[in-house]
Amino acid sequence: MPGGYTAGNCLLRSRAAPAVSRSCDGCGLHESFTMTEQNTPIPADEELAAADAALDGDALEELDLILEDLRSRGEEIPQWEFCDGFLTALVCTRRAIPAAEYLPMLLGDGAELEVTAGQPLPKIEAFKDIEQQERFLALWQARWDEVSQQLDADVKTLDDERTFQPEAMDMRGAIASLPEEERAEMEGQEIPSFGQVWALGFMFAVENWPEEWAAPRDKEAAQWLDAALESVVALTEDDTGKPEVCMYDENGPASTSQARVEQFGEAIWGIYDLRQLWKSMGPRQETIVKGVQPGRNDACPCGSGKKFKKCHGA
């Protein structure tokens, strides 16, 4: 079960993506997987519908409050930033992971829920009642749909308003913007870097379903997968560079290095790559293992008395 991060009552996040354009320097990887029917750009009317369905500030605050309530019954309930990273990984995963698998992994004991056909998902212990769980799942689905629509949009720059926007927090910037006496209360606490908790949530999903993230046989696709995951892993590391910008408030005190901002942009493009890669390849095909086959001149195992090549081996 994931660990959570608590920093007072700050519920501060940045939906601003750095202005980075896409460039693959002629690597050839992206061209290999762009011409499939599954990756057709979303029609404009569907993009408008997605914008209308996007979670607003009130919905995000409601999610935070639900998680805070869950935390009163389970200390290891994560913050929404971690959950959003986890959700994004599920959107990109090769196989569609059902809620009976991922919900207890995120908010329970990790054991898959037993679901009776036609019946709702059983309640996880952390939720106070089934209504609270269903409300959380409704908000979760709205965010899922939003992320899916954003990752399927044909964007060329992170300045595009349709660009995928992780729910990444700049806690250091938020705390640095507080009055001096309030900052003093936070002294000595370990404050995560911009996007760090989000990336940890993403990799938590990857690590719990490793078979769904195994490298494909195609070398170019495997390189593409590795590069994309490495861009996310880079965000799980602490930002030790010189603070130059504030992702919480553009006029706030510097809290994030320029290198971190660039890493964040590369990670966003990496998420696009992962979504496109698995959609292009489709679900992993199960290997059919056949038993020992008789030689062509052996007796056919059906008992006909004929040679295998003249009977069932024909």
Side-chain angles (χ1 to χ4, degrees):
M1 191 156 44
Y5 170 76
T6 303
N9 294 319
C10 293
L11 302 174
L12 309 165
R13 46 175 63 85
S14 171
R15 278 198 161 203
V20 179
S21 297
R22 189 61 182 273
S23 173
C24 60
D25 300 322
C27 66
L29 296 180
H30 300 96
E31 288 83 352
S32 301
F33 295 94
T34 55
M35 300 304 292
T36 67
E37 181 179 352
Q38 292 169 306
N39 291 318
T40 302
I42 301 172
D45 56 345
E46 291 185 25
E47 289 176 351
L48 290 173
D52 291 339
L55 293 181
D56 58 17
D58 289 341
L60 291 170
E61 183 177 359
E62 184 179 358
L63 278 166
D64 282 321
L65 291 174
I66 290 175
L67 290 170
E68 183 179 348
D69 182 64
L70 266 57
R71 214 167 286 122
S72 68
R73 290 178 291 277
E75 295 180 356
E76 296 188 2
I77 300 296
Q79 298 286 341
W80 173 246
E81 181 180 8
F82 186 101
C83 295
D84 191 69
F86 182 85
L87 178 152
T88 303
L90 293 178
V91 170
C92 296
T93 300
R94 187 168 188 175
R95 172 176 67 90
I97 309 295
E101 284 186 51
Y102 70 69
L103 195 62
M105 186 63 69
L106 180 66
L107 302 175
D109 59 8
E112 183 176 351
L113 298 174
E114 294 184 7
V115 183
T116 303
Q119 296 299 313
L121 202 67
K123 186 181 81 68
I124 287 182
E125 186 175 354
F127 288 99
K128 66 180 181 182
D129 50 41
I130 195 65
E131 288 75 21
Q132 185 184 50
Q133 177 171 299
E134 290 177 349
R135 179 56 181 164
F136 176 85
L137 287 173
L139 293 169
W140 176 276
Q141 186 62 52
R143 175 58 176 161
W144 184 294
D145 294 341
E146 179 183 16
V147 171
S148 298
Q149 293 280 9
Q150 289 173 346
L151 291 178
D152 290 339
D154 184 24
V155 300
K156 305 299 183 184
T157 172
L158 299 187
D159 276 336
D160 193 317
E161 63 181 11
R162 301 168 302 162
T163 298
F164 168 57
Q165 298 176 359
E167 290 293 332
M169 298 185 183
D170 179 16
M171 269 308 200
R172 294 181 179 180
I175 291 172
S177 300
L178 293 172
E180 184 176 354
E181 59 273 14
E182 294 184 40
R183 291 201 308 271
E185 296 177 4
M186 308 294 296
E187 189 172 349
Q189 290 194 35
E190 185 176 348
I191 310 301
S193 304
F194 173 62
Q196 187 173 19
V197 174
W198 184 91
L200 289 169
F202 189 101
M203 294 310 300
F204 181 72
V206 173
E207 291 163 2
N208 276 285
W209 286 278
E211 68 281 359
E212 304 303 333
W213 294 86
R217 294 179 181 177
D218 182 273
K219 286 187 177 181
E220 287 187 334
Q223 291 172 357
W224 192 5
L225 173 66
D226 287 344
L229 286 177
E230 285 174 6
S231 70
V232 178
V233 170
L235 291 181
T236 67
E237 303 294 332
D238 194 33
D239 179 12
T240 57
K242 177 184 176 182
E244 298 178 75
V245 296
C246 181
M247 299 300 289
Y248 168 65
D249 181 350
E250 63 180 10
N251 297 316
S255 57
T256 303
S257 70
Q258 185 59 42
R260 184 65 164 203
V261 176
E262 293 171 2
Q263 285 179 334
F264 187 69
E266 288 303 317
I268 292 177
W269 287 129
I271 301 303
Y272 275 97
D273 288 348
L274 292 170
R275 170 74 167 174
Q276 189 174 11
L277 173 64
W278 293 140
K279 285 190 69 176
S280 298
M281 300 189 72
R284 189 178 302 279
Q285 299 297 315
E286 293 187 13
T287 301
I288 299 175
V289 181
K290 295 183 178 180
V292 178
Q293 296 294 305
R296 288 184 56 75
N297 289 315
D298 293 340
C300 187
C302 74
S304 67
K306 297 179 181 180
K307 290 184 178 181
F308 181 65
K309 67 181 180 182
K310 296 289 187 179
C311 192
H312 285 82

